[in-house]
Amino acid sequence: MVKAKTAYVCSDCGAEYSKWQGQCASCGAWNTIKEFKIAPLVPGSDAASRRNQDRLGFAGTLTSKVQKLCDVSLEEHQRYTTTFSEFDRVLGGGIIPGAAMIIGGHPGAGKSTLLLQTVCRLSKSYNILYVTGEESLQQVAMRANRLGLDTSSLNVVSETSIENISSFIEETKPQILVIDSIQVMHLSYIQSAPGSVSQVRESAAMLTRIAKTRGIACFIVGHVTKDGTLAGPKVLEHCVDCSILLEGDSNSKFRTLRCQKNRFGAVNEIGVFAMTDRGMREVSNPSAIFLNRSENISSGSCVMVIWEGTRPLLIELQALADSTQNPNPRRLTVGTDSNRLNMLLAVLHRHAGIQMYDQDVFINVVGGVKVEETSADLPLLCALISSYRDRPIPRDTICFGEIGLSGEIRPVPSGQERIAEAAKHGFTRAIVPKDNAPHKTVPNMQIVPVTSISQIVDLI
Ligand code: TYD
Ligand code: MG
């Protein structure tokens, strides 16, 4: 009789231990170690031989060979288009055959809708297998019908067993595979519930191996945890080629598609979609929606130009400074880094003499966009000073720039393109770092070069 083995695995990083402990020694997270029963394998059984096959992989038969890098054929890197230009841009120009891509997002973000629309449009030109584990075939068909999609050549199957899916792949030989979602998939030789760390890890590893060896482009839908990271083991992100997040506020119809990891293109590229009653629609001019401002301007609002991947984006940033009796005033940011805000407040005090210790400070980036760029420093301080002094910044003004610890204003990359984008949207004044000011005059645009933070305070 073979005894069942117990394993303890960290649900964040996937580290394994022989006994339970409160903190994961490898990643330092608390209470993430979960217990798993590993199925006893009867030697000689179907599952045991399959497991041995999987474990050994191709070690027995030498299928790969050592060669010069320049001799490696490049032809399989012809990309397929997704038919959505926003989606293509995020992927770095289209789908690469043999790539495993994970698409994460909150429930209701529109992952299933986006993928269904993509594969229905592509099914005329490519052989596609859509595996649904979460929804029934009827639900998928009803959704496709309601969205008015052409379903005549799309292969669909409702299945949750990876072993069966690999048989279907043998049978249909798809070029593109969609797995919705990895959390419901399971392998028979791992005896733990679908969605558990070992199931997710092994299922994803198996799928990526199939994708790699057969040149199938594989989209894997994954759930995210409350803090927005992919649920399950971190190794999931290591074994796939692209990790894409579909983000969006549940009460806003706009969704942004963002690449966190991409082996075939730039990260930070964002694609903007709108969820409509006819499914996902791409938004080709995102600045226009994020800039939907009311007529009468008030203090504490500033338009900034951030650089997302390969294009500029105009976004409004709002700040509110409110006097408080609280000895520990509040510092709250939505869409920007709160540590950065604390740093900027210190710079503001030290180099411009404006103290905020008796003020609650709130920062909000409009439209649910997350800004990680340092070019948001200057707009943030402009909006904050504007709110504190109650001096509105004129509607036609944009700004961008990084602020250093000695109160100097530093240039940011792609200054010219940012100014050009603002001019395209009808802005007529740009407050920019001196080194970013163009040498030639820009038509219909007044450039205000600034070098220090005290200059900004005077300006506002
Ligand atoms: P879905 O793709 O099922 O989300 P996910 O797979 O990421 O969980 O999207 C479901 C949500 O999208 C649901 O809240 C309703 C909304 N929706 C629309 O607004 N319009 C549509 O045409 C469709 C299909 C869905
Ligand atoms: Mg879904």
PDB file of all heavy atoms in Angstrom, residues 105-114 134-135 143 146-147 180 221 223 246 255 275-280, ligand 1:
ATOM      1  N   GLY A 105      -7.484  39.362 -14.500  1.00  0.00           N
ATOM      2  CA  GLY A 105      -8.408  40.476 -14.292  1.00  0.00           C
ATOM      3  C   GLY A 105      -9.449  40.103 -13.265  1.00  0.00           C
ATOM      4  O   GLY A 105      -9.660  38.920 -12.983  1.00  0.00           O
ATOM      5  N   HIS A 106     -10.095  41.115 -12.706  1.00  0.00           N
ATOM      6  CA  HIS A 106     -11.140  40.873 -11.719  1.00  0.00           C
ATOM      7  C   HIS A 106     -12.352  40.230 -12.378  1.00  0.00           C
ATOM      8  O   HIS A 106     -12.522  40.358 -13.596  1.00  0.00           O
ATOM      9  CB  HIS A 106     -11.535  42.195 -11.055  1.00  0.00           C
ATOM     10  CG  HIS A 106     -10.475  42.716 -10.159  1.00  0.00           C
ATOM     11  ND1 HIS A 106     -10.191  42.146  -8.941  1.00  0.00           N
ATOM     12  CD2 HIS A 106      -9.595  43.727 -10.314  1.00  0.00           C
ATOM     13  CE1 HIS A 106      -9.186  42.789  -8.377  1.00  0.00           C
ATOM     14  NE2 HIS A 106      -8.803  43.751  -9.193  1.00  0.00           N
ATOM     15  N   PRO A 107     -13.208  39.560 -11.615  1.00  0.00           N
ATOM     16  CA  PRO A 107     -14.413  38.989 -12.223  1.00  0.00           C
ATOM     17  C   PRO A 107     -15.226  40.099 -12.878  1.00  0.00           C
ATOM     18  O   PRO A 107     -15.385  41.179 -12.297  1.00  0.00           O
ATOM     19  CB  PRO A 107     -15.173  38.392 -11.040  1.00  0.00           C
ATOM     20  CG  PRO A 107     -14.197  38.288  -9.939  1.00  0.00           C
ATOM     21  CD  PRO A 107     -13.114  39.268 -10.177  1.00  0.00           C
ATOM     22  N   GLY A 108     -15.706  39.863 -14.081  1.00  0.00           N
ATOM     23  CA  GLY A 108     -16.514  40.861 -14.772  1.00  0.00           C
ATOM     24  C   GLY A 108     -15.705  41.910 -15.497  1.00  0.00           C
ATOM     25  O   GLY A 108     -16.267  42.845 -16.066  1.00  0.00           O
ATOM     26  N   ALA A 109     -14.381  41.771 -15.507  1.00  0.00           N
ATOM     27  CA  ALA A 109     -13.549  42.753 -16.216  1.00  0.00           C
ATOM     28  C   ALA A 109     -13.783  42.654 -17.717  1.00  0.00           C
ATOM     29  O   ALA A 109     -13.679  43.657 -18.429  1.00  0.00           O
ATOM     30  CB  ALA A 109     -12.077  42.528 -15.894  1.00  0.00           C
ATOM     31  N   GLY A 110     -14.101  41.458 -18.193  1.00  0.00           N
ATOM     32  CA  GLY A 110     -14.376  41.272 -19.615  1.00  0.00           C
ATOM     33  C   GLY A 110     -13.369  40.386 -20.315  1.00  0.00           C
ATOM     34  O   GLY A 110     -13.227  40.440 -21.533  1.00  0.00           O
ATOM     35  N   LYS A 111     -12.659  39.542 -19.538  1.00  0.00           N
ATOM     36  CA  LYS A 111     -11.652  38.656 -20.129  1.00  0.00           C
ATOM     37  C   LYS A 111     -12.289  37.698 -21.125  1.00  0.00           C
ATOM     38  O   LYS A 111     -11.830  37.573 -22.269  1.00  0.00           O
ATOM     39  CB  LYS A 111     -10.944  37.845 -19.023  1.00  0.00           C
ATOM     40  CG  LYS A 111     -10.337  38.693 -17.945  1.00  0.00           C
ATOM     41  CD  LYS A 111      -9.734  37.850 -16.841  1.00  0.00           C
ATOM     42  CE  LYS A 111     -10.728  37.072 -16.004  1.00  0.00           C
ATOM     43  NZ  LYS A 111     -11.566  37.865 -15.126  1.00  0.00           N
ATOM     44  N   SER A 112     -13.363  37.031 -20.694  1.00  0.00           N
ATOM     45  CA  SER A 112     -14.014  36.056 -21.576  1.00  0.00           C
ATOM     46  C   SER A 112     -14.584  36.752 -22.801  1.00  0.00           C
ATOM     47  O   SER A 112     -14.475  36.247 -23.918  1.00  0.00           O
ATOM     48  CB  SER A 112     -15.138  35.335 -20.840  1.00  0.00           C
ATOM     49  OG  SER A 112     -14.687  34.866 -19.610  1.00  0.00           O
ATOM     50  N   THR A 113     -15.179  37.941 -22.602  1.00  0.00           N
ATOM     51  CA  THR A 113     -15.776  38.669 -23.720  1.00  0.00           C
ATOM     52  C   THR A 113     -14.716  39.057 -24.741  1.00  0.00           C
ATOM     53  O   THR A 113     -14.887  38.826 -25.939  1.00  0.00           O
ATOM     54  CB  THR A 113     -16.482  39.943 -23.193  1.00  0.00           C
ATOM     55  OG1 THR A 113     -17.322  39.569 -22.117  1.00  0.00           O
ATOM     56  CG2 THR A 113     -17.282  40.616 -24.270  1.00  0.00           C
ATOM     57  N   LEU A 114     -13.614  39.611 -24.277  1.00  0.00           N
ATOM     58  CA  LEU A 114     -12.553  40.057 -25.182  1.00  0.00           C
ATOM     59  C   LEU A 114     -11.977  38.889 -25.976  1.00  0.00           C
ATOM     60  O   LEU A 114     -11.798  38.965 -27.195  1.00  0.00           O
ATOM     61  CB  LEU A 114     -11.446  40.746 -24.374  1.00  0.00           C
ATOM     62  CG  LEU A 114     -10.255  41.256 -25.187  1.00  0.00           C
ATOM     63  CD1 LEU A 114     -10.700  42.363 -26.123  1.00  0.00           C
ATOM     64  CD2 LEU A 114      -9.152  41.767 -24.288  1.00  0.00           C
ATOM     65  N   GLU A 134     -15.426  27.391 -17.222  1.00  0.00           N
ATOM     66  CA  GLU A 134     -16.265  28.109 -16.257  1.00  0.00           C
ATOM     67  C   GLU A 134     -17.703  28.214 -16.721  1.00  0.00           C
ATOM     68  O   GLU A 134     -18.631  28.095 -15.938  1.00  0.00           O
ATOM     69  CB  GLU A 134     -15.706  29.528 -16.053  1.00  0.00           C
ATOM     70  CG  GLU A 134     -14.406  29.525 -15.319  1.00  0.00           C
ATOM     71  CD  GLU A 134     -13.973  30.906 -14.891  1.00  0.00           C
ATOM     72  OE1 GLU A 134     -14.545  31.896 -15.401  1.00  0.00           O
ATOM     73  OE2 GLU A 134     -13.060  30.994 -14.062  1.00  0.00           O
ATOM     74  N   GLU A 135     -17.867  28.466 -18.040  1.00  0.00           N
ATOM     75  CA  GLU A 135     -19.227  28.641 -18.536  1.00  0.00           C
ATOM     76  C   GLU A 135     -19.611  27.414 -19.352  1.00  0.00           C
ATOM     77  O   GLU A 135     -18.748  26.733 -19.882  1.00  0.00           O
ATOM     78  CB  GLU A 135     -19.284  29.880 -19.446  1.00  0.00           C
ATOM     79  CG  GLU A 135     -19.046  31.160 -18.704  1.00  0.00           C
ATOM     80  CD  GLU A 135     -18.700  32.307 -19.641  1.00  0.00           C
ATOM     81  OE1 GLU A 135     -19.616  32.964 -20.126  1.00  0.00           O
ATOM     82  OE2 GLU A 135     -17.507  32.521 -19.886  1.00  0.00           O
ATOM     83  N   ARG A 143     -23.795  34.257 -25.626  1.00  0.00           N
ATOM     84  CA  ARG A 143     -23.058  35.513 -25.601  1.00  0.00           C
ATOM     85  C   ARG A 143     -22.574  35.888 -27.010  1.00  0.00           C
ATOM     86  O   ARG A 143     -22.704  37.028 -27.437  1.00  0.00           O
ATOM     87  CB  ARG A 143     -21.864  35.395 -24.660  1.00  0.00           C
ATOM     88  CG  ARG A 143     -21.033  36.665 -24.699  1.00  0.00           C
ATOM     89  CD  ARG A 143     -19.824  36.583 -23.846  1.00  0.00           C
ATOM     90  NE  ARG A 143     -20.140  36.133 -22.493  1.00  0.00           N
ATOM     91  CZ  ARG A 143     -19.274  36.182 -21.500  1.00  0.00           C
ATOM     92  NH1 ARG A 143     -18.089  36.664 -21.706  1.00  0.00           N
ATOM     93  NH2 ARG A 143     -19.581  35.742 -20.315  1.00  0.00           N
ATOM     94  N   ARG A 146     -25.463  37.144 -29.035  1.00  0.00           N
ATOM     95  CA  ARG A 146     -25.899  38.478 -28.629  1.00  0.00           C
ATOM     96  C   ARG A 146     -24.933  39.539 -29.129  1.00  0.00           C
ATOM     97  O   ARG A 146     -25.320  40.657 -29.468  1.00  0.00           O
ATOM     98  CB  ARG A 146     -25.996  38.542 -27.102  1.00  0.00           C
ATOM     99  CG  ARG A 146     -26.920  39.606 -26.588  1.00  0.00           C
ATOM    100  CD  ARG A 146     -27.222  39.408 -25.131  1.00  0.00           C
ATOM    101  NE  ARG A 146     -26.033  39.301 -24.330  1.00  0.00           N
ATOM    102  CZ  ARG A 146     -25.238  40.322 -24.038  1.00  0.00           C
ATOM    103  NH1 ARG A 146     -25.509  41.508 -24.503  1.00  0.00           N
ATOM    104  NH2 ARG A 146     -24.176  40.141 -23.282  1.00  0.00           N
ATOM    105  N   LEU A 147     -23.653  39.169 -29.188  1.00  0.00           N
ATOM    106  CA  LEU A 147     -22.658  40.131 -29.658  1.00  0.00           C
ATOM    107  C   LEU A 147     -22.595  40.168 -31.183  1.00  0.00           C
ATOM    108  O   LEU A 147     -21.805  40.934 -31.746  1.00  0.00           O
ATOM    109  CB  LEU A 147     -21.273  39.783 -29.107  1.00  0.00           C
ATOM    110  CG  LEU A 147     -21.126  39.837 -27.586  1.00  0.00           C
ATOM    111  CD1 LEU A 147     -19.731  39.442 -27.177  1.00  0.00           C
ATOM    112  CD2 LEU A 147     -21.447  41.222 -27.058  1.00  0.00           C
ATOM    113  N   ASP A 180     -10.191  29.013 -20.594  1.00  0.00           N
ATOM    114  CA  ASP A 180     -10.947  29.909 -19.706  1.00  0.00           C
ATOM    115  C   ASP A 180     -11.520  29.076 -18.562  1.00  0.00           C
ATOM    116  O   ASP A 180     -12.506  28.405 -18.726  1.00  0.00           O
ATOM    117  CB  ASP A 180     -12.074  30.588 -20.499  1.00  0.00           C
ATOM    118  CG  ASP A 180     -12.729  31.698 -19.721  1.00  0.00           C
ATOM    119  OD1 ASP A 180     -12.301  31.952 -18.590  1.00  0.00           O
ATOM    120  OD2 ASP A 180     -13.677  32.298 -20.246  1.00  0.00           O
ATOM    121  N   VAL A 221      -6.707  32.265 -19.253  1.00  0.00           N
ATOM    122  CA  VAL A 221      -7.367  33.251 -18.383  1.00  0.00           C
ATOM    123  C   VAL A 221      -7.048  32.904 -16.947  1.00  0.00           C
ATOM    124  O   VAL A 221      -7.093  31.732 -16.553  1.00  0.00           O
ATOM    125  CB  VAL A 221      -8.891  33.230 -18.613  1.00  0.00           C
ATOM    126  CG1 VAL A 221      -9.593  34.128 -17.604  1.00  0.00           C
ATOM    127  CG2 VAL A 221      -9.224  33.662 -20.021  1.00  0.00           C
ATOM    128  N   HIS A 223      -7.487  34.210 -12.676  1.00  0.00           N
ATOM    129  CA  HIS A 223      -8.148  35.144 -11.765  1.00  0.00           C
ATOM    130  C   HIS A 223      -7.096  35.961 -11.026  1.00  0.00           C
ATOM    131  O   HIS A 223      -5.953  35.560 -10.938  1.00  0.00           O
ATOM    132  CB  HIS A 223      -8.988  34.380 -10.752  1.00  0.00           C
ATOM    133  CG  HIS A 223     -10.135  33.681 -11.377  1.00  0.00           C
ATOM    134  ND1 HIS A 223     -11.064  32.980 -10.669  1.00  0.00           N
ATOM    135  CD2 HIS A 223     -10.488  33.570 -12.675  1.00  0.00           C
ATOM    136  CE1 HIS A 223     -11.955  32.467 -11.502  1.00  0.00           C
ATOM    137  NE2 HIS A 223     -11.623  32.805 -12.716  1.00  0.00           N
ATOM    138  N   LEU A 246      -6.151  42.877 -17.415  1.00  0.00           N
ATOM    139  CA  LEU A 246      -7.278  43.674 -17.877  1.00  0.00           C
ATOM    140  C   LEU A 246      -7.836  44.369 -16.648  1.00  0.00           C
ATOM    141  O   LEU A 246      -8.352  43.720 -15.749  1.00  0.00           O
ATOM    142  CB  LEU A 246      -8.325  42.764 -18.530  1.00  0.00           C
ATOM    143  CG  LEU A 246      -9.510  43.442 -19.186  1.00  0.00           C
ATOM    144  CD1 LEU A 246      -9.057  44.317 -20.338  1.00  0.00           C
ATOM    145  CD2 LEU A 246     -10.487  42.412 -19.703  1.00  0.00           C
ATOM    146  N   ARG A 255     -11.879  49.973 -19.870  1.00  0.00           N
ATOM    147  CA  ARG A 255     -10.974  48.928 -19.396  1.00  0.00           C
ATOM    148  C   ARG A 255      -9.608  49.166 -20.003  1.00  0.00           C
ATOM    149  O   ARG A 255      -9.509  49.515 -21.175  1.00  0.00           O
ATOM    150  CB  ARG A 255     -11.445  47.548 -19.876  1.00  0.00           C
ATOM    151  CG  ARG A 255     -12.854  47.194 -19.495  1.00  0.00           C
ATOM    152  CD  ARG A 255     -12.933  46.731 -18.045  1.00  0.00           C
ATOM    153  NE  ARG A 255     -14.240  46.216 -17.728  1.00  0.00           N
ATOM    154  CZ  ARG A 255     -15.235  46.943 -17.243  1.00  0.00           C
ATOM    155  NH1 ARG A 255     -15.076  48.245 -17.055  1.00  0.00           N
ATOM    156  NH2 ARG A 255     -16.394  46.389 -16.963  1.00  0.00           N
ATOM    157  N   MET A 275     -16.350  48.797 -22.460  1.00  0.00           N
ATOM    158  CA  MET A 275     -17.310  47.697 -22.409  1.00  0.00           C
ATOM    159  C   MET A 275     -18.674  48.274 -22.762  1.00  0.00           C
ATOM    160  O   MET A 275     -19.213  49.097 -22.034  1.00  0.00           O
ATOM    161  CB  MET A 275     -17.311  47.096 -21.005  1.00  0.00           C
ATOM    162  CG  MET A 275     -18.300  45.983 -20.814  1.00  0.00           C
ATOM    163  SD  MET A 275     -18.019  44.583 -21.890  1.00  0.00           S
ATOM    164  CE  MET A 275     -17.213  43.451 -20.806  1.00  0.00           C
ATOM    165  N   THR A 276     -19.207  47.874 -23.904  1.00  0.00           N
ATOM    166  CA  THR A 276     -20.500  48.399 -24.334  1.00  0.00           C
ATOM    167  C   THR A 276     -21.513  47.267 -24.342  1.00  0.00           C
ATOM    168  O   THR A 276     -21.182  46.137 -23.999  1.00  0.00           O
ATOM    169  CB  THR A 276     -20.389  48.972 -25.750  1.00  0.00           C
ATOM    170  OG1 THR A 276     -20.115  47.884 -26.634  1.00  0.00           O
ATOM    171  CG2 THR A 276     -19.259  49.975 -25.871  1.00  0.00           C
ATOM    172  N   ASP A 277     -22.747  47.568 -24.736  1.00  0.00           N
ATOM    173  CA  ASP A 277     -23.736  46.494 -24.793  1.00  0.00           C
ATOM    174  C   ASP A 277     -23.464  45.543 -25.957  1.00  0.00           C
ATOM    175  O   ASP A 277     -24.076  44.498 -26.061  1.00  0.00           O
ATOM    176  CB  ASP A 277     -25.153  47.077 -24.877  1.00  0.00           C
ATOM    177  CG  ASP A 277     -25.278  48.054 -26.020  1.00  0.00           C
ATOM    178  OD1 ASP A 277     -24.223  48.487 -26.551  1.00  0.00           O
ATOM    179  OD2 ASP A 277     -26.412  48.378 -26.404  1.00  0.00           O
ATOM    180  N   ARG A 278     -22.535  45.912 -26.844  1.00  0.00           N
ATOM    181  CA  ARG A 278     -22.140  45.008 -27.910  1.00  0.00           C
ATOM    182  C   ARG A 278     -20.725  44.481 -27.685  1.00  0.00           C
ATOM    183  O   ARG A 278     -19.979  44.270 -28.614  1.00  0.00           O
ATOM    184  CB  ARG A 278     -22.195  45.724 -29.280  1.00  0.00           C
ATOM    185  CG  ARG A 278     -23.464  46.451 -29.570  1.00  0.00           C
ATOM    186  CD  ARG A 278     -24.499  45.511 -30.089  1.00  0.00           C
ATOM    187  NE  ARG A 278     -23.953  44.623 -31.110  1.00  0.00           N
ATOM    188  CZ  ARG A 278     -24.666  44.056 -32.057  1.00  0.00           C
ATOM    189  NH1 ARG A 278     -25.949  44.298 -32.128  1.00  0.00           N
ATOM    190  NH2 ARG A 278     -24.118  43.256 -32.918  1.00  0.00           N
ATOM    191  N   GLY A 279     -20.365  44.296 -26.440  1.00  0.00           N
ATOM    192  CA  GLY A 279     -19.059  43.741 -26.126  1.00  0.00           C
ATOM    193  C   GLY A 279     -17.983  44.796 -26.012  1.00  0.00           C
ATOM    194  O   GLY A 279     -18.271  45.970 -25.819  1.00  0.00           O
ATOM    195  N   MET A 280     -16.738  44.360 -26.134  1.00  0.00           N
ATOM    196  CA  MET A 280     -15.602  45.273 -25.980  1.00  0.00           C
ATOM    197  C   MET A 280     -15.360  46.030 -27.276  1.00  0.00           C
ATOM    198  O   MET A 280     -15.296  45.435 -28.334  1.00  0.00           O
ATOM    199  CB  MET A 280     -14.346  44.479 -25.637  1.00  0.00           C
ATOM    200  CG  MET A 280     -14.412  43.791 -24.317  1.00  0.00           C
ATOM    201  SD  MET A 280     -14.179  44.925 -22.975  1.00  0.00           S
ATOM    202  CE  MET A 280     -12.564  44.465 -22.461  1.00  0.00           C
TER     203      MET A 280
HETATM  204  P1  TYD B   1     -16.916  38.665 -18.743  1.00  0.00           P
HETATM  205  O1  TYD B   1     -16.235  38.667 -20.052  1.00  0.00           O
HETATM  206  O2  TYD B   1     -17.780  37.511 -18.427  1.00  0.00           O
HETATM  207  O3  TYD B   1     -15.893  38.893 -17.566  1.00  0.00           O
HETATM  208  P2  TYD B   1     -14.762  37.932 -17.012  1.00  0.00           P
HETATM  209  O4  TYD B   1     -14.651  36.769 -17.910  1.00  0.00           O
HETATM  210  O5  TYD B   1     -13.549  38.811 -16.990  1.00  0.00           O
HETATM  211  O6  TYD B   1     -15.188  37.570 -15.631  1.00  0.00           O
HETATM  212  O7  TYD B   1     -17.715  40.043 -18.694  1.00  0.00           O
HETATM  213  C1  TYD B   1     -18.836  40.124 -17.951  1.00  0.00           C
HETATM  214  C2  TYD B   1     -19.217  41.529 -17.678  1.00  0.00           C
HETATM  215  O8  TYD B   1     -19.258  42.318 -18.824  1.00  0.00           O
HETATM  216  C3  TYD B   1     -20.573  41.531 -17.085  1.00  0.00           C
HETATM  217  O9  TYD B   1     -20.520  42.269 -15.885  1.00  0.00           O
HETATM  218  C4  TYD B   1     -21.443  42.195 -18.096  1.00  0.00           C
HETATM  219  C5  TYD B   1     -20.538  42.924 -18.970  1.00  0.00           C
HETATM  220  N1  TYD B   1     -20.890  42.872 -20.406  1.00  0.00           N
HETATM  221  C6  TYD B   1     -21.335  44.019 -21.038  1.00  0.00           C
HETATM  222  O10 TYD B   1     -21.465  45.078 -20.433  1.00  0.00           O
HETATM  223  N2  TYD B   1     -21.640  43.968 -22.384  1.00  0.00           N
HETATM  224  C7  TYD B   1     -21.532  42.834 -23.092  1.00  0.00           C
HETATM  225  O11 TYD B   1     -21.812  42.838 -24.301  1.00  0.00           O
HETATM  226  C8  TYD B   1     -21.058  41.652 -22.433  1.00  0.00           C
HETATM  227  C9  TYD B   1     -20.909  40.371 -23.164  1.00  0.00           C
HETATM  228  C10 TYD B   1     -20.747  41.723 -21.090  1.00  0.00           C
END
